[in-house]
Every structure is written in C-alpha cells, then in structure tokens.
Amino acid sequence: MTRGAPDRASSKGRTGFPAIRIFAAAGLVGALAACRGEPGPLSLQADARNPVSVLQRVNQAGAECWMRSSDPDFRDLRLVPELDTSAGRPRLLVLEKGNTSGLPVMVIEASGSPVTIETYGPLAGTRTGARVNDDIARWSGGHVSCS
C-alpha cells in the first residue's frame, strides 16, 4: 500500500457498520412503538351485552378526556353520539368542528352480543386515531380514566 492511499478494507467496514446500526436502531424504535396501539381501524370485543351502554361510557369519557381537555390533538374535533338503535347500529361520530355537514373523520360503532366495537375513517390511520383506539379499548373494559 502506498502512503496516502486509503485503506479500502477499513473504508468498507466503516461505511457498512453504521448503516447496520442505523437499521437496527430503527427496528428497535419501531418495536417499541408497537407496544402502544398502532394507527388503523379497531375491532375488539367488549365484555358487555349492550352496545348502547358501551358507547355511552365511551361517549362520556371521550367528551371529558378528548373534547373538554386542552389537548391540541382534539381541539378541532367534536364528538356526536348517534345512539338511537331504531335508526341502525349505535355509533359515535368524530367530526371536524368547522365542518358541520361533512363526513366524519372517524366512526366508532358497536353491535352484537357480546359487543364488538369497530372504528374506521381517515382519522383511524393517524397517531390521534391510535390514541382514540387505545382509549376505547381501556374504557370498554370498564376503566374510565383519561390516562
């Protein structure tokens, strides 16, 4: 090897290993994030016989913990209950505050016995939707605290 020439073997080693470390670190961060709920639709069975009573509990806790809180994730949203079962499945609609006649950004729906709760809509695929799903899972099990 001549003086001043780069050592190709050590150069390859230095560029390869940091990339592996970066991918390993990214995998670890992804695995830790998976411990919390991931964004996407929710479908879960609640230990309850009545869909309306489960959604009433979710509505009360959601109003307190999401809508009346100073949380910026929910500042521009509102929760509208549609619990009249003669009109179909009971559900809660999450709407944008300024868009009174628009489509909901998320629907929280319950049906069956035992009760199955489902969420869907564009908000479900976001970080806020994952928080909503985590809260619904907790509240449907009887825990009504905000955290």
Side-chain angles (χ1 to χ4, degrees), residues 4 15 18 25 35 39-40 53 57 59 69 79 89 93 97 100 109 116 119 126 129 136 138-139:
T15 59
C35 292
S53 65
R57 187 178 333 139
N59 184 49
S69 72
L79 190 61
R89 290 182 172 184
L93 305 178
K97 268 189 184 170
T100 57
E109 192 172 73
T116 299
T119 64
T126 68
I136 289 170
R138 189 174 64 255
W139 297 334

Side-chain angles (χ1 to χ4, degrees), residues 111-130:
S111 64
S113 178
V115 176
T116 299
I117 300 173
E118 296 177 309
T119 64
Y120 53 90
L123 186 68
T126 68
R127 181 179 55 85
T128 301

Side-chain angles (χ1 to χ4, degrees), residues 50-147:
N50 185 342
V52 173
S53 65
V54 172
L55 285 185
Q56 284 174 332
R57 187 178 333 139
V58 171
N59 184 49
Q60 289 171 341
E64 183 68 30
C65 300
W66 301 332
M67 303 305 145
R68 292 185 195 128
S69 72
S70 59
D71 191 324
D73 288 342
F74 297 98
R75 177 180 31 231
D76 296 329
L77 301 173
R78 63 188 177 106
L79 190 61
V80 178
E82 291 186 345
L83 302 177
D84 181 5
T85 56
S86 66
R89 290 182 172 184
R91 61 189 187 165
L92 304 174
L93 305 178
V94 180
L95 300 165
E96 292 176 333
K97 268 189 184 170
N99 193 0
T100 57
S101 62
L103 294 173
V105 292
M106 181 179 243
V107 177
I108 305 163
E109 192 172 73
S111 64
S113 178
V115 176
T116 299
I117 300 173
E118 296 177 309
T119 64
Y120 53 90
L123 186 68
T126 68
R127 181 179 55 85
T128 301
R131 285 184 55 199
V132 168
N133 289 342
D134 286 345
D135 289 342
I136 289 170
R138 189 174 64 255
W139 297 334
S140 67
H143 303 284
V144 291
S145 66
C146 290
S147 57

